[in-house]
Amino acid sequence: MRRLPAGLAAVALLAVTATACGSSSSGSSGSSDTPSDGLTTVKVGVIPIVDVAPVYLGEKQGFYRKRGLDLTLETGQGGAAIVPGVVSGQFAFGFSNTTSLMVARSRDVPVRAVANGVASTGKAGADFGGVVVKGDSPVKSPKDLAGKKVAVNTLKNIGDTSVRESVRKAGGDPHSVQFVELAFDQMPAALDAGQVDAAWVVEPSLAVVKEQGGRVVASNFVDVSPDLTIALYFTSDKLARQDPELVEKFAAATRESLAYARSHPDEVREILSTYTKIPEKTLQAMTLPDWPEEPDRASLERLGELGRQDGLFDEAPDLDALLPWPGHP
């Protein structure tokens, strides 16, 4: 593990699939006993975006408490702080996109997934993320993105890797795309002002662009794999070894929360208003992601291949180390 500090520093430069704002709660340990009510307090690093709605719903429905867990959901500026936060023990668990976790694992950062996070809807043109252009843009298909300036929230991550795949599949030159790093919430204005030719956005920015008359020209998640697993909940190797019972309780409660969110979309939109500042009109217009209980291994293998092809890592990381399914973490 001599490379761990360098790996952590590198991962700290990576963002998850959103730029978020919010304050963190006090405290520094990921979990602690609370004898007064018999529950174990568990800190989870999340980003205030649509993707993590199931955890908020699960907390509200009591899925974690019935397993003896009292969640403290701490919001951060993005996934860049969550990976090292989990490894250091600040959080017991965290939420991150799968490319960031693969990069972390390839750099000897000791993390492992414990539960599924969020997935593509698998429907081209009707996903919760996509590449958008202005209504009058000459860009009509992913092939036309070649040579164009495209905004992504983080360079050398799941955004540009998946956008390149859309261009590649349409017969364009994926390496000629010029990527520009912008926060998701800044993309609608940048697109409208002509600062970029296109933007890869996720909800709620996708709904905002559509309200401005923008068009979806590529469903980049779907182009990678129809059942693409986009993000996962994870922990450190250390916690998984020291307290497998805690990890399994969290994983089981999260699986139940994912299933509940998947079957209660109205409650998802309602819970979003408690931890985001998304306007009601946009909330109702948004396309929700999918929340299957288990990750799709084949889609992650494909994402790993694309990451290696794009130079994110020399070799695709060992998915058996990152995804200890089936069985207990």
Side-chain angles (χ1 to χ4, degrees):
M1 298 308 297
R2 286 178 295 173
R3 287 184 289 166
L4 177 57
L8 280 172
V11 171
L13 297 176
L14 300 173
V16 184
T17 54
T19 296
C21 60
S23 59
S24 297
S25 302
S26 61
S28 59
S29 61
S31 62
S32 62
D33 292 330
T34 52
S36 61
D37 57 9
L39 299 176
T40 298
T41 300
V42 177
K43 294 182 181 180
V44 185
V46 295
I47 311 164
I49 54 176
V50 176
D51 309 39
V52 298
V55 173
Y56 282 88
L57 272 179
E59 180 189 34
K60 180 181 178 181
Q61 293 298 318
F63 300 153
Y64 294 91
R65 292 182 69 86
K66 76 177 182 182
R67 292 174 172 87
L69 306 181
D70 181 21
L71 292 195
T72 298
L73 298 171
E74 298 193 3
T75 59
Q77 294 295 330
I82 293 177
V83 172
V86 168
V87 174
S88 70
Q90 177 186 357
F91 307 128
F93 304 97
F95 178 87
S96 176
N97 82 51
T98 50
T99 295
S100 289
L101 291 176
M102 288 181 186
V103 172
R105 197 76 210 189
S106 74
R107 297 178 181 177
D108 293 336
V109 179
V111 293
R112 67 175 69 184
V114 298
N116 200 22
V118 69
S120 165
T121 66
K123 301 174 182 178
D127 204 359
F128 77 106
V131 183
V132 292
V133 298
K134 293 178 66 174
D136 59 357
S137 170
V139 175
K140 303 299 182 184
S141 77
K143 182 178 180 179
D144 299 330
L145 293 171
K148 298 297 191 294
K149 188 180 295 185
V150 181
V152 294
N153 78 310
T154 307
L155 298 174
K156 297 183 178 180
N157 208 284
I158 193 170
D160 46 18
T161 292
S162 56
V163 171
R164 282 197 182 100
E165 180 68 354
S166 292
V167 176
R168 184 182 294 112
K169 281 191 168 183
D173 178 6
H175 299 292
S176 70
V177 180
Q178 304 171 46
F179 290 105
V180 177
E181 186 170 288
L182 281 176
F184 281 128
D185 60 1
Q186 296 174 5
M187 291 183 189
L191 184 66
D192 190 56
Q195 296 172 0
V196 293
D197 300 303
W200 165 57
V201 294
V202 295
E203 295 291 12
S205 296
L206 177 57
V208 173
V209 171
K210 288 179 178 178
E211 289 170 3
Q212 295 175 174
R215 295 182 285 109
V216 176
V217 295
S219 295
N220 47 313
F221 288 153
V222 180
D223 286 334
V224 172
S225 176
D227 300 310
L228 181 62
T229 296
I230 297 162
L232 298 159
Y233 291 93
F234 68 101
T235 191
S236 65
D237 285 353
K238 180 180 179 180
L239 181 62
R241 290 193 305 269
Q242 291 183 344
D243 201 341
E245 183 179 358
L246 172 67
V247 173
E248 178 52 31
K249 287 179 179 179
F250 177 82
T254 301
R255 287 193 296 270
E256 186 173 5
S257 300
L258 292 167
Y260 189 87
R262 202 179 195 187
S263 60
H264 295 79
D266 290 342
E267 292 186 41
V268 168
R269 296 183 196 277
E270 182 179 345
I271 202 76
L272 281 169
S273 65
T274 67
Y275 70 92
T276 73
K277 296 180 180 179
I278 302 173
E280 180 63 24
K281 179 182 178 182
T282 305
L283 272 176
Q284 298 306 318
M286 290 189 319
T287 299
L288 297 179
D290 193 16
W291 287 291
E293 293 181 50
E294 302 294 342
D296 183 80
R297 172 112 183 187
S299 74
L300 294 179
E301 290 174 349
R302 179 57 181 157
L303 197 59
E305 292 171 2
L306 293 177
R308 180 188 57 78
Q309 185 173 305
D310 287 341
L312 301 187
F313 27 74
D314 295 333
E315 295 183 8
D318 181 7
L319 286 184
D320 289 330
L322 179 61
L323 297 173
W325 279 282
H328 299 295

